[in-house]
Amino acid sequence: LYLSAWLFMLGGLFGEIGFVSQIISSYPKLLNAESGTLACGAIMALALSHRLKEEISSKEKAQLVAASASRQLSANYAAMPVGLFGVDEEGRIKIFNPAYSRLHEAILGTPPILNSSKLADLVGDSSYRELDSRSQHEEQPIIVESVSLASSPKRFLEFRVSIKDSNLEGSVQD
């Protein structure tokens, strides 16, 4: 399409040049600079609209793939048998999966509440401070194996946590 647009425009210019230099005796009605430029613009518009449709189509496909991947990630997160959680700087639980919710409810008798429940409620203040302190100074994910529960001192939880953007993220197993 681009080539035909340029050919129309050049044909129109050659028609004009031929008339001005008196190579042809009458003014070209069909193939002149104005009609060549108009045809060139129309063909370019068609070519650009076709290209835009292709780009939009590829973006829509990419969005569908991303949405599918996000749904799959959410399904995997929810299906994990290990409790997964994210905690903000104040120790409030920002995200958790169903396994974490079941563990929290089994130990404390109530399910966790986003942005309200704290990890310290589950493990006790001193264990939480130790977990938070160790995660601030370690490069690799930290394994804290024997955190005894405040509500049940003979019961232990295994935590694996790391820090990301000043928030704790990790997993817990009973």
Side-chain angles (χ1 to χ4, degrees):
L1 283 176
Y2 290 114
L3 182 60
S4 61
W6 285 106
L7 290 175
F8 265 108
M9 189 173 77
L10 287 175
L13 286 175
F14 286 137
E16 286 282 324
I17 291 170
F19 176 70
V20 171
S21 62
Q22 296 179 349
I23 295 174
I24 53 175
S25 58
S26 65
Y27 186 76
K29 294 181 181 172
L30 178 64
L31 199 57
N32 58 33
E34 291 84 16
S35 63
T37 303
L38 285 173
C40 177
I43 292 172
M44 288 291 211
L46 282 172
L48 288 174
S49 70
H50 179 70
R51 190 171 185 184
L52 282 174
K53 281 182 185 178
E54 286 177 350
E55 286 182 19
I56 289 170
S57 175
S58 67
K59 284 181 182 180
E60 287 173 346
K61 287 178 187 173
Q63 287 174 339
L64 288 173
V65 168
S68 174
S70 179
R71 283 190 302 274
Q72 183 64 43
L73 179 63
S74 294
N76 290 346
Y77 189 76
M80 290 287 293
V82 175
L84 302 174
F85 62 89
V87 179
D88 68 7
E89 295 167 335
E90 286 82 40
R92 292 181 304 232
I93 297 171
K94 293 301 223 179
I95 187 170
F96 58 87
N97 70 344
Y100 178 86
S101 181
R102 287 188 298 273
L103 181 67
H104 190 279
E105 190 168 2
I107 292 169
L108 297 177
T110 60
I113 301 169
L114 283 178
N115 300 318
S116 178
S117 296
K118 294 190 171 197
L119 190 59
D121 297 340
L122 185 64
V123 298
D125 286 330
S126 63
S127 293
Y128 175 74
R129 280 194 300 274
E130 176 191 342
L131 197 62
D132 188 42
S133 172
R134 288 184 63 190
S135 66
Q136 300 288 337
H137 298 90
E138 300 278 340
E139 295 281 327
Q140 299 296 320
I142 300 136
I143 301 169
V144 179
E145 289 191 12
S146 51
V147 175
S148 63
L149 299 173
S151 60
S152 173
K154 293 187 181 195
R155 191 169 183 185
F156 296 95
L157 298 178
E158 178 181 288
F159 280 87
R160 294 175 192 259
V161 297
S162 61
I163 194 156
K164 180 183 176 203
D165 300 329
S166 70
N167 296 321
L168 287 177
E169 291 186 352
S171 66
V172 60
Q173 286 180 295
D174 193 0

